[in-house]
Amino acid sequence: MNKPAPAGTVIACHNLRKTFADGKGSLLEVLQPLDFALRPGEHIAIVGASGSGKSTLLHLLAGLDNPTQGQIWHQGKDITQISETERSALRNRSLGFVYQFHHLLPDLSAIENVMMPLLIRRMKPEEAHERAQNLLDSVGLLKRLEHRPSMLSGGERQRVALARALVTEPDCLLADEPTGNLDQLAAKQMIDLMLELNTRRNTALLLVTHDYDVAKRLGTCLRLTNGLLAPANIE
């Protein structure tokens, strides 16, 4: 029997489970039935060893993959019960994504990359340009608007990716190893910026990482081990 969404959550799941076939006729259980909830303004880190299922969990919560079992809610709507078209529209409205690799379009400038999600929404180009410019200014890239990704440093490319993730004013930002490709200073600056924007915009932040120094910066830290989430003591 399906449950209603937990009150006051941006993203939540109940009894979430994911298995994969291992190629030998057996099932590999990556995620055991687990519950999770993220509320407006919260920032939570999930740590775990490589291959522990962190990215799988993030993709499930984002509606990019289907669970073997369980419910997933975005703003109270069970995304396991809606079409892929509806799910995509909901993602565009309420979620932003930042990955380890920036995934910027190489032939577009920084501002054109940031404008793209708004143009997909059919926002007028001049309005999209203004919003993208303001956001790039907020991440310190006002002088890099017309630069293509190849002309930017690794840290600058990640800041453009962050601006693109936030330009739709999402309720939640999902970050998958966003500092994994950066040096220590750039990684610190990236987390500083994400937390600053989290506070200023009240955007919920869920970040998965194997870097405990990054995880310590967030308000709550959970560890994913053997397919289950538990509080992590990483002091």
Side-chain angles (χ1 to χ4, degrees):
M1 183 176 179
N2 286 344
K3 294 181 58 175
T9 57
V10 177
I11 284 183
C13 67
H14 170 65
N15 213 25
L16 188 66
R17 179 171 174 258
K18 183 66 176 180
T19 60
F20 293 101
D22 67 358
K24 300 179 181 179
S26 300
L27 290 178
L28 175 65
E29 188 164 51
V30 178
L31 298 176
Q32 298 190 47
L34 59 82
D35 291 3
F36 174 78
L38 181 67
R39 291 173 171 80
E42 275 192 310
H43 39 92
I44 296 177
I46 296 177
V47 298
S50 178
S52 62
K54 302 186 303 298
S55 293
T56 297
L57 175 58
L58 204 67
H59 291 168
L60 289 171
L61 292 175
L64 296 171
D65 194 6
N66 294 313
T68 304
Q69 173 187 311
Q71 292 177 264
I72 303 165
W73 299 277
H74 289 184
Q75 296 289 12
K77 182 183 286 290
D78 187 345
I79 65 169
T80 66
Q81 302 298 313
I82 61 178
S83 70
E84 180 54 39
T85 299
E86 292 175 292
R87 202 183 300 179
S88 295
L90 188 59
R91 274 197 302 269
N92 184 264
R93 288 197 308 272
S94 65
L95 298 182
F97 303 87
V98 181
Y99 298 102
Q100 178 175 353
F101 300 100
H102 53 80
H103 298 300
L104 299 175
L105 297 173
D107 294 330
L108 299 184
S109 66
I111 195 164
E112 288 170 336
N113 267 284
V114 177
M115 288 171 62
M116 188 57 64
L118 299 177
L119 297 178
I120 290 172
R121 285 187 175 188
R122 301 184 184 278
M123 180 179 283
K124 292 180 180 179
E126 58 271 20
E127 294 178 12
H129 188 282
E130 181 179 4
R131 187 184 293 187
Q133 179 173 305
N134 289 340
L135 201 44
L136 284 167
D137 187 15
S138 75
V139 299
L141 292 176
L142 189 59
K143 296 182 179 180
R144 298 286 191 269
L145 300 184
E146 303 303 329
H147 287 57
R148 293 185 180 184
S150 62
M151 302 165 68
L152 301 171
S153 69
E156 288 172 334
R157 288 193 289 267
Q158 280 297 73
R159 281 188 276 161
V160 174
L162 177 58
R164 182 182 57 185
L166 293 171
V167 75
T168 58
E169 299 180 347
D171 302 304
C172 178
L173 179 65
L174 303 177
D176 189 358
E177 300 282 6
T179 62
N181 229 22
L182 303 178
D183 61 38
Q184 189 173 14
L185 177 59
K188 180 184 181 302
Q189 291 172 338
M190 184 70 174
I191 297 302
D192 287 345
L193 184 56
M194 293 175 76
L195 291 175
E196 177 191 343
L197 294 170
N198 161 266
T199 300
R200 191 192 314 161
R201 295 166 174 264
N202 202 40
T203 301
L205 170 62
L206 177 60
L207 182 149
V208 301
T209 182
H210 66 273
D211 187 333
Y212 288 176
D213 288 333
V214 168
K216 288 176 185 177
R217 302 285 310 281
L218 276 73
T220 300
C221 186
L222 304 174
R223 189 188 307 277
L224 184 61
T225 307
N226 297 323
L228 292 172
L229 284 173
N233 182 5
I234 57 173
E235 296 299 329

